[in-house]
Amino acid sequence: MSDATNGQRTHAATPVIRRARTSDVRDIRALVAPLAERRVLVSKEAVTYFESLQEFRVAELGGRVVGCGALHVMWEDLAEIRTLAVAPEMLGTGLGGRLLEALVEDAREIGVERLFCLTFETDFFVRHGFEAIEGQAVPMDVYAELLRSYDEGVAEFLDLERVKPNTLGNTRMLRTL
């Protein structure tokens, strides 16, 4: 279906955005799998999703997960938007933007002031207030602390040489809230 006023496709029912549950992990992985195969998103083991479940929001439509996204805190004022994905039939409906804004609200609620993402979808993130960044976006003392993290997303944020093969073609982006 098409909405003539804004060019976005619409569906009869509107997906509900809610916090993820353990029972959603299988659906989240199924949603992410084709994107991971195309190297658009990072492939993760099931245990990683369970360990980070409290970071996730999902969009549910008719009892099915049709979108997901996560907010991963990196520092006192900084978090990363991760694993933002929507089902192919939901592309162009605005669902990705709704999920992103739910994560932005989560960030505000916990006191985060800046959001980072590593993405191929630069146009989407620019429409939502993100800007491409070069170099370091944190002071040297924070950089030194972040170097202690084992998290690959933190390494990508820091633009460390060891993660360069994983980030080829991606753009590092930041949004100030």
Side-chain angles (χ1 to χ4, degrees):
M1 236 182 286
S2 180
D3 179 341
T5 59
N6 63 13
Q8 292 183 337
R9 289 183 294 174
T10 58
H11 289 263
T14 301
V16 173
I17 296 176
R18 61 168 173 78
R19 295 219 176 268
R21 302 178 187 125
T22 56
S23 59
D24 296 325
V25 169
R26 181 171 283 129
D27 293 337
I28 292 169
R29 291 188 76 211
L31 191 63
V32 170
L35 297 168
E37 286 173 17
R38 294 192 342 247
R39 298 184 55 94
V40 173
L41 291 178
V42 176
S43 179
K44 298 176 186 170
E45 299 297 329
V47 67
T48 304
Y49 287 105
F50 284 110
E51 289 174 340
S52 61
L53 188 68
Q54 69 278 7
E55 299 177 355
F56 274 85
R57 292 266 182 180
V58 296
E60 182 179 31
L61 182 63
R64 183 173 157 251
V65 173
V66 294
C68 65
L71 177 74
H72 179 79
V73 176
M74 298 167 72
W75 197 248
E76 68 182 312
D77 68 336
L78 180 67
E80 180 182 9
I81 299 294
R82 293 184 172 179
T83 321
L84 186 61
V86 298
E89 70 274 13
M90 299 303 292
L91 291 172
T93 65
L95 181 58
R98 287 185 55 221
L99 276 162
L100 178 57
E101 289 310 313
L103 297 170
V104 167
E105 285 308 310
D106 289 347
R108 284 187 174 117
E109 190 174 299
I110 62 173
V112 169
E113 297 170 2
R114 297 181 305 152
L115 294 173
F116 166 75
C117 71
L118 182 69
T119 185
F120 291 106
E121 300 295 333
T122 54
D123 291 343
F124 170 82
F125 282 97
V126 164
R127 285 194 309 272
H128 291 278
F130 285 76
E131 296 177 353
I133 59 169
E134 296 289 330
Q136 291 309 317
V138 292
M140 283 309 295
D141 60 328
V142 174
Y143 180 90
E145 289 289 333
L146 289 174
L147 279 174
R148 297 177 182 171
S149 174
Y150 293 105
D151 187 277
E152 288 299 300
V154 172
E156 291 163 352
F157 171 74
L158 296 176
D159 204 24
L160 299 181
E161 203 59 41
R162 70 178 169 83
V163 295
K164 294 279 189 193
N166 300 335
T167 63
L168 288 176
N170 278 286
T171 300
R172 297 165 64 240
M173 301 187 82
L174 199 64
R175 174 178 169 181
T176 301
L177 302 182

